[in-house]
């Protein structure tokens, strides 16, 4: 049997308003306007490496589940979309509990900042500080398969919560930021084996968003600047 060991290192790090894995969307694209930024690090800050990227709309990101490096890994996992109770083979899911801790996400390009060696993107499912190992352009003619089956995701849709935000939040957040926050909370960031009214806290844009859920309605109780 032939074994090949490859050492990879981050070419960039991701910047996000979500500084904890709690609240991060469970797939890229489902919170389409969630802002983020890819900051390249030396020696990968050559401006010419970004040349031509402005002609694309989407990127593939290969990145690392940095919060799960030392977590136990198993051949089956419990996808949140199935309520966190049914087990499925790990290769049939996008679970973060993977042997090599690698993630794959498709994100929309907002702006290429050549002079800053950075890319602003939308719709990522990465928390702040996530290491990025490679960036590749999304090619619709080979990457899009509208007729493809999606396994258990074909039979199960995300159940969204009704979200109540206090009107006074407008003093601390822009209209765009509140729309993004509403989408994040509607996806129910709680662990899917929790269905209770206990208080929860989600970091977002420099604030702790404190909320509770009752009968399918998520209410923001307060927001505290960090």
């Amino acid at each position: 049997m032939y074994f090949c060991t490859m050492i990879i290192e981050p070419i960039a790090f991701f910047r996000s308003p979500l500084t904890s894995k709690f609240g991060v969307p469970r797939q890229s694209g489902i919170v389409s306007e969630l802002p983020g930024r890819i900051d390249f690090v030396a020696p990968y800050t050559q401006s010419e490496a970004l040349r031509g990227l402005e002609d694309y709309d989407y990127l593939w990101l290969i990145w690392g589940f940095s919060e799960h490096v030392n977590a136990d890994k198993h051949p089956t996992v419990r996808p949140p979309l199935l309520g966190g109770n049914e087990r499925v083979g790990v290769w049939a899911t996008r679970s973060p509990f993977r042997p090599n801790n690698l993630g794959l996400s498709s994100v929309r390009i907002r702006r290429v900042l050549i002079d800053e060696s950075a890319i602003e993107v939308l719709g990522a499912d990465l928390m702040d500080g996530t290491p990025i190992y490679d960036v590749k352009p999304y090619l619709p003619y080979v990457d899009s398969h509208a007729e493809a089956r999606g396994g258990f995701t074909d039979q199960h849709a995300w159940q969204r919560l009704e979200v109540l935000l206090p009107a006074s939040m407008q003093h601390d957040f822009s209209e765009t930021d509140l729309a993004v926050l509403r989408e994040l909370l509607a996806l129910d960031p709680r662990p899917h084996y929790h269905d209770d009214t206990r208080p929860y806290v989600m970091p977002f844009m420099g604030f702790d968003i404190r909320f509770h859920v009752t009968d399918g309605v998520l209410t923001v109780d307060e927001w505290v600047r960090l």
Side-chain angles (χ1 to χ4, degrees), residues 173-192:
F173 299 92
S174 70
E175 187 174 322
T176 299
D177 292 342
L178 287 175
V180 169
L181 177 60
R182 186 182 296 276
E183 282 196 72
L184 288 169
L185 294 174
L187 292 170
D188 195 353
R190 299 175 300 166
H192 274 59

Side-chain angles (χ1 to χ4, degrees), residues 111-126:
R111 188 166 52 149
V112 180
L113 305 172
I114 293 180
D115 293 339
E116 299 178 34
S117 295
I119 310 169
E120 292 181 353
V121 298
L122 297 169
D125 54 345
L126 285 68

Side-chain angles (χ1 to χ4, degrees), residues 142-156:
V142 288
D143 292 342
S144 177
H145 305 280
E147 75 288 354
R149 295 181 299 155
F152 64 84
T153 65
D154 287 342
Q155 287 78 44
H156 298 81

Side-chain angles (χ1 to χ4, degrees), residues 23 31 159-167 169 173 177-190 202 204 209-223:
V31 181
Q159 300 299 312
R160 284 172 162 76
L161 300 173
E162 180 183 350
V163 177
L164 300 180
L165 303 178
M169 293 188 77
F173 299 92
D177 292 342
L178 287 175
V180 169
L181 177 60
R182 186 182 296 276
E183 282 196 72
L184 288 169
L185 294 174
L187 292 170
D188 195 353
R190 299 175 300 166
M202 186 185 83
F204 177 74
I209 309 297
R210 301 179 180 179
F211 66 90
H212 71 277
V213 179
T214 303
D215 298 328
V217 179
L218 185 152
T219 302
V220 172
D221 301 304
E222 59 178 341
W223 55 104

Side-chain angles (χ1 to χ4, degrees), residues 52-200:
L53 199 56
E54 67 277 2
D55 296 327
Y56 295 90
D57 287 328
Y58 287 85
L59 288 175
W60 287 112
L61 304 181
I62 299 174
W63 50 277
F65 287 105
S66 52
E67 295 294 295
H68 298 85
V69 172
N70 298 316
D72 292 336
K73 310 297 167 56
H74 302 282
T76 61
V77 296
R78 297 182 297 176
L81 193 57
L82 296 179
N85 298 312
E86 183 177 340
R87 285 197 169 272
V88 178
V90 66
W91 307 136
T93 74
R94 295 189 176 185
S95 167
F97 299 100
R98 320 186 73 79
N100 288 316
N101 303 299
L102 292 177
L104 177 69
S105 297
S106 175
V107 298
R108 181 156 49 101
I109 298 174
R110 183 181 189 181
R111 188 166 52 149
V112 180
L113 305 172
I114 293 180
D115 293 339
E116 299 178 34
S117 295
I119 310 169
E120 292 181 353
V121 298
L122 297 169
D125 54 345
L126 285 68
M127 66 175 283
D128 189 65
T130 296
I132 296 176
Y133 298 114
D134 205 354
V135 171
K136 298 179 186 292
Y138 175 95
L139 304 177
Y141 83 100
V142 288
D143 292 342
S144 177
H145 305 280
E147 75 288 354
R149 295 181 299 155
F152 64 84
T153 65
D154 287 342
Q155 287 78 44
H156 298 81
W158 290 109
Q159 300 299 312
R160 284 172 162 76
L161 300 173
E162 180 183 350
V163 177
L164 300 180
L165 303 178
S168 54
M169 293 188 77
Q170 297 174 7
H171 300 309
D172 292 310
F173 299 92
S174 70
E175 187 174 322
T176 299
D177 292 342
L178 287 175
V180 169
L181 177 60
R182 186 182 296 276
E183 282 196 72
L184 288 169
L185 294 174
L187 292 170
D188 195 353
R190 299 175 300 166
H192 274 59
Y193 48 82
H194 288 181
D195 187 12
D196 52 35
T197 59
R198 77 178 76 176
Y200 287 87

